[in-house]
Amino acid sequence: MGMVGGGLDAFIGAVHRRAAVFDHEIELVCGSFSASPEKSKRTGQSLYLPDDRIYDSFEEMIQREKELPEGERMDFISIVTPNHLHFPPAKLALENGFHVICDKPMTLNLQEAKELAQIVEKSGLVFALTHNYTGYPMVKEAREIVRSGKLGQIRKVVVEYPQGWLSKYEEGNDYKQAIWRTDPARSGAAGCMGDIGTHAENLAEYITGLKITELCADLTTFVPGRLLDDDGNVLLRFDNGAKGVLHASQISNGEENALKIFVYGELGGLEWHQMEPNTLHYKSQEGHRLIRPNVGEMSPAAKAHIRLPSGHPEGFFEAFANIYRDFAYAVKAHMNGEQLDPVYDFPSVYDGVRGLAFIETVIASNQSTEKWTKFVQ
């Protein structure tokens, strides 16, 4: 793996690195860790990389790595930069024969996302998007329960993602994460809805297998001086006739990372909380039971993503690592001309396009006087 971004003071870069090496399938061999060559060098040295594999830019890294013998060069890049720097390295890497794994949202805007999908298709290479919440075993189990028909036809989906960390004007306090995430030039056209609303959208579509067709959005910027939305409420319509509610907020004072989803069908319902990820609630009018990892019968998809015996909690890093491990399996299968077992799934470039389409549709709906806005395709 070669990494783009993820310097010493970057939160998510360290998460990606730990997740990547969790299963001993991936080795970090090079990187361009910052727009500052000095910071990139200090980061690479702190990770014990040789100086000649620490690069001043992603362009230099891709060109120099391509010149190395096949057994020595990196096989893929991991992109962990702010959103505006996702598309350029992804495009260049794919055009030079390197697979790509990228943080979300996939690009700065929908036009870039659609172009990137075409580049991935043309290259035939593997592309993964780190919607990491899909990596939790109980999320896999929830998806399989829906697929099995045990809930009957899905009628209602409620997904919420409240945080409180931007309740104040943190971007004025030299807080790096707040500064770029609230900057339209680096984050894109949406703030809260782009940062965490896309996670909620992706989780709803992943578990249910349904697609949003229309929505009605109300976005607000509560904190004075902030340039992007920090709270949003969205009504959803799905392609099977189901209705939904999506709420995402970064000014819900006191909340931590409280992603939750509720799925209701004709025959039963499911409930999952990210902060209690090892418990899936299965509910119906006949009763309520808890599903836990490695307790009783589980779907092959869930089993493939559980590492420990029952009663040993697995969490955020393990879910992130599942995305990286499954991606590594896909890259190896590609190298060997083999088909990947579908149990090892991960978000693709098309999920990235859906995410940017969601952002664009939400913004259009918020600005419209019409009640419903059709989902941008």
Side-chain angles (χ1 to χ4, degrees):
M1 176 175 82
M3 178 165 274
V4 180
L8 286 172
D9 57 348
F11 155 68
I12 204 65
V15 172
H16 279 259
R17 284 192 289 270
R18 293 184 182 111
V21 302
F22 208 96
D23 294 286
H24 308 291
E25 293 290 338
I26 296 168
E27 178 188 1
L28 177 68
V29 296
C30 64
S32 170
F33 301 101
S34 172
S36 162
E38 180 186 349
K39 186 181 289 186
S40 180
K41 185 171 183 179
R42 283 192 286 112
T43 303
Q45 289 174 339
S46 75
L47 297 169
Y48 305 104
L49 294 177
D51 286 347
D52 63 350
R53 303 293 288 277
I54 305 169
Y55 300 106
D56 291 348
S57 68
F58 71 81
E59 293 94 341
E60 181 192 19
M61 182 176 77
I62 290 169
Q63 182 57 45
R64 293 264 302 275
E65 290 292 314
K66 188 178 178 181
E67 294 169 357
L68 293 175
E70 190 170 347
E72 296 178 24
R73 70 176 71 140
M74 66 181 183
D75 297 302
F76 72 93
I77 67 167
S78 171
I79 303 171
V80 296
T81 60
N83 305 346
H84 71 300
L85 293 175
H86 288 180
F87 178 75
K91 178 178 185 291
L92 188 63
L94 291 163
E95 290 176 342
N96 283 275
F98 295 106
H99 308 277
V100 174
I101 187 166
C102 182
D103 210 356
K104 44 54 55 192
M106 186 171 73
T107 54
L108 190 65
N109 54 53
L110 182 57
Q111 181 180 345
E112 286 184 349
K114 289 181 175 180
E115 184 178 345
L116 189 58
Q118 292 176 344
I119 294 169
V120 171
E121 289 172 358
K122 183 178 179 181
S123 71
L125 296 169
V126 182
F127 183 97
L129 190 67
T130 52
H131 273 301
N132 54 295
Y133 300 113
T134 66
Y136 280 106
M138 292 299 93
V139 169
K140 305 286 187 189
E141 185 70 6
R143 187 187 202 197
E144 293 306 309
I145 289 172
V146 172
R147 281 179 168 179
S148 72
K150 291 177 182 177
L151 300 188
Q153 180 167 324
I154 303 304
R155 292 172 167 171
K156 187 177 181 70
V157 181
V158 179
V159 59
E160 57 184 71
Y161 200 157
Q163 297 175 336
W165 71 289
L166 287 177
S167 295
K168 298 178 182 178
Y169 189 67
E170 297 292 357
E171 53 267 51
N173 297 325
D174 199 29
Y175 187 172
K176 179 180 177 180
Q177 292 298 320
I179 291 170
W180 80 257
R181 291 177 194 275
T182 58
D183 177 6
R186 287 181 279 181
S187 184
C192 171
M193 272 296 159
D195 192 19
I196 60 176
T198 50
H199 270 309
E201 166 267 328
N202 176 259
L203 190 66
E205 292 197 338
Y206 180 80
I207 288 177
T208 66
L210 303 176
K211 300 296 183 186
I212 300 166
T213 57
E214 291 182 296
L215 55 78
C216 177
D218 178 32
L219 305 182
T220 305
T221 304
F222 278 103
V223 176
R226 181 159 292 155
L227 300 178
L228 294 172
D229 58 280
D230 50 27
D231 184 83
N233 304 283
V234 188
L235 297 177
L236 307 171
R237 287 177 171 174
F238 292 90
D239 54 3
N240 76 329
K243 304 297 176 68
V245 180
L246 186 154
H247 148 61
S249 175
Q250 292 176 316
I251 51 83
S252 292
N253 212 316
E255 294 290 353
E256 299 173 54
N257 199 59
L259 173 61
K260 307 180 188 71
I261 187 166
F262 307 81
V263 179
Y264 303 104
E266 297 171 293
L267 306 176
L270 297 173
E271 176 182 343
W272 180 78
H273 297 203
Q274 191 275 152
M275 290 176 63
E276 297 290 340
N278 292 291
T279 300
L280 176 65
H281 300 257
Y282 185 105
K283 302 182 279 190
S284 75
Q285 295 305 109
E286 283 71 52
H288 181 175
R289 71 184 180 93
L290 304 180
I291 302 174
R292 305 273 292 172
N294 272 331
V295 178
E297 286 298 315
M298 307 217 76
S299 67
K303 287 181 183 177
H305 296 88
I306 298 170
R307 293 179 169 79
L308 298 172
S310 61
H312 295 75
E314 298 183 45
F316 185 79
F317 281 111
E318 289 88 346
F320 229 113
N322 282 335
I323 302 292
Y324 267 92
R325 186 202 61 179
D326 293 357
F327 171 77
Y329 287 168
V331 169
K332 289 201 291 187
H334 182 278
M335 290 175 172
N336 297 328
E338 300 169 351
Q339 290 294 316
L340 180 69
D341 186 329
V343 78
Y344 301 114
D345 70 308
F346 49 84
S348 73
V349 71
Y350 304 109
D351 295 292
V353 173
R354 292 287 297 178
L356 270 299
F358 172 75
I359 292 170
E360 193 160 297
T361 309
V362 163
I363 292 171
S365 174
N366 182 65
Q367 295 171 345
S368 174
T369 57
E370 297 293 325
K371 183 175 181 180
W372 293 101
T373 302
K374 291 194 179 296
F375 198 91
V376 176
Q377 299 297 317

